[in-house]
Amino acid sequence: MSYISKVLSGKCPHCGKEKIFHDKGSVFTFRMPKMTKECPSCGYNFHRETGFYFGAMYVSYAITVAEMVAVMVTRLILNTVFGLEINLLQTFIAIVVVILLSWTFTYRAARIMWLNMFYSED
């Protein structure tokens, strides 16, 4: 499996059978996603070492910046193509809403990317 297909499936990087997160969390109840300690099929340990997922914060930051850029590009398109006047306060509110609605996805995606980035076949 390629890196992208492993990340998109959200499954174990070793066997590809079991999901890494057994609970996706909830945006509306502010419940964090829950990771499985190890793969039930092959026993691959998802918690590599203490502090392993600190690097996932940088991946999460990059995803969040991409979300903000997407909102800004949408604002630019709405202003230039459709002639809608959207001020900076409305743009800020839109960015906050997008980030609040996607935080569980961002958290899971960053951890899955980080785990797959450091997976080796040995």
Side-chain angles (χ1 to χ4, degrees):
M1 284 175 86
S2 71
Y3 174 79
I4 294 173
S5 62
K6 286 180 185 179
V7 169
L8 290 177
S9 70
K11 295 188 177 181
C12 174
H14 185 68
C15 68
K17 293 179 183 173
E18 301 291 332
K19 294 270 188 189
I20 295 172
F21 284 90
H22 66 270
D23 181 15
K24 291 185 177 183
S26 174
V27 173
F28 303 108
T29 59
F30 298 106
R31 198 175 71 237
M32 291 292 291
K34 302 266 190 288
M35 258 182 110
T36 309
K37 273 217 176 276
E38 63 182 30
C39 180
S41 295
C42 67
Y44 183 76
N45 186 9
F46 297 138
H47 295 278
R48 311 292 295 157
E49 60 190 31
T50 304
F52 176 73
Y53 289 105
F54 282 141
M57 291 187 302
Y58 296 105
V59 176
S60 176
Y61 176 73
I63 293 170
T64 304
V65 168
E67 291 169 351
M68 288 189 270
V69 167
V71 171
M72 292 300 289
V73 167
T74 303
R75 175 184 183 250
L76 180 67
I77 290 171
L78 290 174
N79 280 345
T80 57
V81 175
F82 296 107
L84 297 174
E85 289 299 321
I86 300 173
N87 62 28
L88 288 177
L89 178 62
Q90 292 168 329
T91 305
F92 176 74
I93 291 170
I95 288 172
V96 169
V97 167
V98 166
I99 289 172
L100 287 177
L101 290 177
S102 66
W103 73 269
T104 56
F105 166 77
T106 303
Y107 178 84
R108 283 184 289 124
R111 283 189 167 222
I112 291 169
M113 285 180 195
W114 193 255
L115 181 64
N116 280 291
M117 206 178 306
F118 292 100
Y119 171 72
S120 63
E121 294 286 335
D122 51 352

